[in-house]
Amino acid sequence: MIDALTQVSWLAVALATVAATVVAGVYFGALVPQAYQRVLGRAGQPAPAATPVTAIGPVVCILATVVASAVLVAALDLTTATDAVVFALVVGVGYLVAMTFQIAINPNMPHPLRYGLLNAPFFLVTSLTTSLILVLV
C-alpha cells in the first residue's frame, strides 16, 4: 500500500480537489443554502461570519479525502471509467454518505435525517467527480 503513494497522480489530486471545491461552492452556496439553514435549525437567522476554519477547513477536508482516494485508486490499479464509478459509489455510499448520517444522528442536530438527505447528493457527486478525475487523468 505504501508503494501506491509513488503512483499517485498529484496533478489529478489537484484537479479533483479544485473540482470538488467548486461543486461544494455551487451546491451549498447556490443550490441549497436556505434548505441547509433549515435543517440546521437556523432558518431566518443571518449566516455566521466566515472564519479561517470555515473558509479553509472544508478545502483541507476535501484534499484529505481526495488524497486517500488517490492512494486507493493507485493501490487497486483502477484504470477505467467503470472502475472509477464503482469505486465512487462504494466510497460515496459506504463512507461519505454513511458518515454524514452518523454525524447528523445526535441530540444536537434538529433534523438529522433531512440533514443527511440534503448532504448525500453532494458527497455522491463529489465522489463520482473526483474518482473519475483520479482514474482518468
Side-chain angles (χ1 to χ4, degrees), residues 3-19:
D3 293 338
L5 284 171
T6 64
Q7 299 169 3
V8 167
S9 166
W10 296 103
L11 173 62
V13 168
L15 292 172
T17 300
V18 169

Side-chain angles (χ1 to χ4, degrees), residues 97-124:
V97 171
M99 287 303 299
T100 298
F101 278 97
Q102 184 175 353
I103 291 165
I105 299 171
N106 72 67
N108 297 309
M109 187 66 67
H111 308 287
L113 296 179
R114 286 179 27 209
Y115 179 87
L117 291 172
L118 184 71
N119 283 279
F122 164 73
F123 286 111
L124 288 175

Side-chain angles (χ1 to χ4, degrees), residues 57-118:
V59 178
V60 171
C61 292
I62 288 170
L63 176 61
T65 303
V66 170
V67 169
S69 292
V71 170
L72 292 173
V73 162
L76 295 169
D77 195 27
L78 304 181
T79 59
T80 69
T82 301
D83 289 342
V85 170
V86 171
F87 177 78
L89 291 173
V90 169
V91 169
V93 173
Y95 289 111
L96 302 174
V97 171
M99 287 303 299
T100 298
F101 278 97
Q102 184 175 353
I103 291 165
I105 299 171
N106 72 67
N108 297 309
M109 187 66 67
H111 308 287
L113 296 179
R114 286 179 27 209
Y115 179 87
L117 291 172
L118 184 71

Side-chain angles (χ1 to χ4, degrees), residues 48-58:
T51 67
V53 169
T54 61
I56 305 297

